[in-house]
Amino acid sequence: MTGFFSTQDFDVFNIDGLDERMEGIRSRIQPKFQELGDITVPALSERTDEEMHLHIARHARRSVNPPNDTWMAAAPNKRGYKKMPHFQFGLWGDHLFIWTAFIYELPEKENIAKTMIENLDDLVKVLPEDGWISSDHTKKEAKKISEMNEGDILHVLERFEKVKKAEFLVGRRVEVSEAVKMSKDELKQLIIQTWTELLPLYKLGTRVQQTV
């Protein structure tokens, strides 16, 4: 069975030149994001009890360097997603990722981090054992949750609170070799499963943002 994403899709990130790579992203990857978004975002709306909107990254601010990754996001605001807790699915050249994301543009980032620290015991319980944590959505580096203890997670959250550019993203990653075997239905199920498991985290962040 042929997977929904192919090795050629991931190879887009080897194309030299901003315009050339963006053409590859627009022609090969973004239509597949649209397909996946059309089936996963409505399911997310049902689970969050709020209307979620699909956003496909356009990389419009780039003028020289081509993007090393690309993504789609889901958030309750039709106009944007970066200033609120949101959900992501996307590709780097060697893996795909599924995140619940709290990035540096959050206006209540510090308060969200403090609340997560105060609720650390409950937070740890919802983290998927086969999941990953990232502190920077612009970099590939992430840590396996299975290799972290509660103190490690606390350290990530304290950095998220105190460092302006620090972020907190939790979810799953799938290496290219496995990703290219997955059908659209299998991807849909994994995306919805991951986002659903992390809903308590999303709702905690959203609640803080709405009450401040």
Side-chain angles (χ1 to χ4, degrees), residues 101-162:
F102 303 84
I103 65 174
Y104 74 92
E105 292 173 81
L106 277 169
E108 296 302 327
K109 186 168 94 76
E110 187 176 333
N111 286 320
I112 289 172
K114 285 179 180 176
T115 304
M116 287 180 177
I117 292 169
E118 291 167 2
N119 293 274
L120 183 62
D121 289 345
D122 292 331
L123 183 153
V124 169
K125 291 174 185 174
V126 305
L127 301 180
E129 289 184 10
D130 61 343
W132 296 71
I133 290 176
S134 168
S135 297
D136 187 340
H137 79 279
T138 68
K139 295 180 179 177
K140 266 192 213 181
E141 289 74 24
K143 297 178 180 178
K144 287 184 178 181
I145 292 171
S146 62
E147 297 176 358
M148 302 175 74
N149 57 38
E150 196 165 302
D152 296 328
I153 295 167
L154 175 61
H155 176 72
V156 171
L157 289 171
E158 287 175 339
R159 188 172 181 277
F160 174 51
E161 176 191 358
K162 295 169 184 172

Side-chain angles (χ1 to χ4, degrees), residues 51-199:
E51 186 179 3
M52 305 296 281
H53 301 275
L54 174 65
H55 301 267
I56 296 176
R58 304 298 178 189
H59 307 287
R61 295 178 187 173
R62 289 184 174 269
S63 57
V64 179
N65 297 319
N68 292 316
D69 66 328
T70 192
W71 62 90
M72 67 181 201
N77 190 318
K78 189 181 289 188
R79 298 182 63 185
Y81 61 92
K82 294 183 179 180
K83 293 186 177 182
M84 59 184 61
H86 62 275
F87 302 87
Q88 291 183 14
F89 169 83
L91 276 64
W92 285 84
D94 60 359
H95 69 271
L96 61 78
F97 57 85
I98 309 164
W99 293 130
T100 295
F102 303 84
I103 65 174
Y104 74 92
E105 292 173 81
L106 277 169
E108 296 302 327
K109 186 168 94 76
E110 187 176 333
N111 286 320
I112 289 172
K114 285 179 180 176
T115 304
M116 287 180 177
I117 292 169
E118 291 167 2
N119 293 274
L120 183 62
D121 289 345
D122 292 331
L123 183 153
V124 169
K125 291 174 185 174
V126 305
L127 301 180
E129 289 184 10
D130 61 343
W132 296 71
I133 290 176
S134 168
S135 297
D136 187 340
H137 79 279
T138 68
K139 295 180 179 177
K140 266 192 213 181
E141 289 74 24
K143 297 178 180 178
K144 287 184 178 181
I145 292 171
S146 62
E147 297 176 358
M148 302 175 74
N149 57 38
E150 196 165 302
D152 296 328
I153 295 167
L154 175 61
H155 176 72
V156 171
L157 289 171
E158 287 175 339
R159 188 172 181 277
F160 174 51
E161 176 191 358
K162 295 169 184 172
V163 178
K164 184 177 180 181
K165 289 287 187 178
E167 301 177 336
F168 188 60
L169 300 97
V170 183
R172 287 188 169 92
R173 293 174 24 150
V174 181
E175 299 303 305
V176 168
S177 58
E178 292 301 316
V180 296
K181 299 175 186 175
M182 298 181 72
S183 67
K184 181 166 76 170
D185 190 57
E186 287 171 330
L187 281 168
K188 177 197 80 171
Q189 291 179 26
L190 185 62
I191 292 168
I192 293 172
Q193 175 193 344
T194 303
W195 288 350
T196 301
E197 287 176 351
L198 291 165
L199 271 179

